[in-house]
């Protein structure tokens, strides 16, 4: 099932996406389950699938304004340096544990919404990544059990302001400018994913392929990340893990390639669809 969050007729909702349109699950499941995050928290995805299977669409794609897949996660935990080719291009050494940093929920934008280039920097870079949404609360889980706690998968663009990222050894400032974390277009539920490792991941800037890899190349796979993170913090339904970007980032190209006003950046991951965002200069926003 493909699930998306959106605004329609002045209200926030969520629904199941199909070729014929969108089944509005927010209205059909009732006021106690108003959002995709609430549906995950309350274990309502199976009920949502039943409703979707017997319903005709309520809206066309053109009727809704998409929101980030999970607009309000309690935690967004991002992983750095998680592909060998990216680690090599940055010159970073091998490490025994994942590199983890945080992104704030209010920095996110939806599919087709503009990513904002901040006025204080000309070094806005793309980072195409796999996002994993947690489906059940967990703490200190084993790698063997980790995937059973996944609600689904989506595309993410962890837009990075490189000069601010390097002000110190901490990544946080460069990863949290408003409107730089794109999340969408939809969540593909875990029951439809036999093996995420088989998916290709590609980032394109103005149609040119900049990153091209497969999820099997992850140094620390999803199972390891969930297990590791859940040992230092409880993971809750709707929390998001952004798993790292492949090599080919603009900052390490010669000469560097940064995103500017009017550009179009796309992140495509097999059946997870294509996340597409124009770049808008903050001074014109």
């Amino acid at each position: 099932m493909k699930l998306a969050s959106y605004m329609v007729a002045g209200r926030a909702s969520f629904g199941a996406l199909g070729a014929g349109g969108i089944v509005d699950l927010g209205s059909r499941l009732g006021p106690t389950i108003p959002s995709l995050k609430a549906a995950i928290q309350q274990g309502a995805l199976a009920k949502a699938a039943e409703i979707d299977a017997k319903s005709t669409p309520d809206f066309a794609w053109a009727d809704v304004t998409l929101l980030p897949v999970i607009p309000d996660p309690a935690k967004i935990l991002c992983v750095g340096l998680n592909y060998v080719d990216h680690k090599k291009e940055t010159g970073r050494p091998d490490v025994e544990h994942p590199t983890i940093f945080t992104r704030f929920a209010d920095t996110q934008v939806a599919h087709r919404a503009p990513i904002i280039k901040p006025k204080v920097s000309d070094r806005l870079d793309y980072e195409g990544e796999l996002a994993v949404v947690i489906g059940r609360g967990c703490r200190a889980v084993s790698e063997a059990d980790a995937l059973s706690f996944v609600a689904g998968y989506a595309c993410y663009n962890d837009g990075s302001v490189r000069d601010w990222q390097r002000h110190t050894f901490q990544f946080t400032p460069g990863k949290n400018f408003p409107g730089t974390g794109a999340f969408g277009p939809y969540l593909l539920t875990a029951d439809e994913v036999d093996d995420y490792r088989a998916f290709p991941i590609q980032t394109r800037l103005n149609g040119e392929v900049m990153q091209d890899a497969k999820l099997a190349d992850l140094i620390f796979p999803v199972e390891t990340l969930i297990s590791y993170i859940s040992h230092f913090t409880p993971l809750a339904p709707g929390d998001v893990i952004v798993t790292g970007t492949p090599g080919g980032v603009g900052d390490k190209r010669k000469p560097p390639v940064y995103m500017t006003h009017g550009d179009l950046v796309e992140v495509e991951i097999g059946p997870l669809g294509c996340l597409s965002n124009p770049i808008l200069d903050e001074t014109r926003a």
Side-chain angles (χ1 to χ4, degrees), residues 72 126 226:
D72 57 343
Y126 51 82
I226 293 173

Side-chain angles (χ1 to χ4, degrees), residues 13 35 78 202 255 283:
S13 190
S35 68
C78 301
Q202 187 176 91
T283 61

Side-chain angles (χ1 to χ4, degrees), residues 251-283:
D251 189 63
K252 295 303 178 182
R253 292 177 174 268
K254 300 186 184 301
V257 176
Y258 299 112
M259 298 189 294
T260 62
H261 180 82
D263 285 347
L264 180 69
V265 61
E266 300 168 292
V267 177
E268 186 167 5
I269 304 178
L272 308 186
C274 181
L275 169 65
S276 178
N277 300 92
I279 307 304
L280 176 64
D281 195 291
E282 183 181 10
T283 61

Side-chain angles (χ1 to χ4, degrees), residues 193-213:
V193 177
D194 291 331
D195 184 3
Y196 72 87
R197 300 169 189 81
F199 297 165
I201 178 170
Q202 187 176 91
T203 304
R204 298 181 293 272
L205 184 62
N206 299 323
E208 180 180 353
V209 175
M210 310 301 281
Q211 296 178 293
D212 196 12

Side-chain angles (χ1 to χ4, degrees), residues 3-7 12-15 35-37 65-73 76 103-114 131 133 154-156 179-187 238 240 275 277:
L3 298 169
S5 299
Y6 48 80
M7 294 293 298
S13 190
F14 73 104
S35 68
L36 179 51
K37 178 180 170 181
T65 300
L66 291 175
L67 297 171
V69 172
I70 305 292
D72 57 343
I76 305 173
R103 176 177 278 279
F104 306 141
D106 62 1
T107 67
Q108 297 189 126
V109 297
H111 173 56
R112 295 181 179 170
V133 176
C155 301
Y156 211 99
T180 56
F183 190 11
Y186 53 78
L187 182 79
V240 180
L275 169 65
N277 300 92

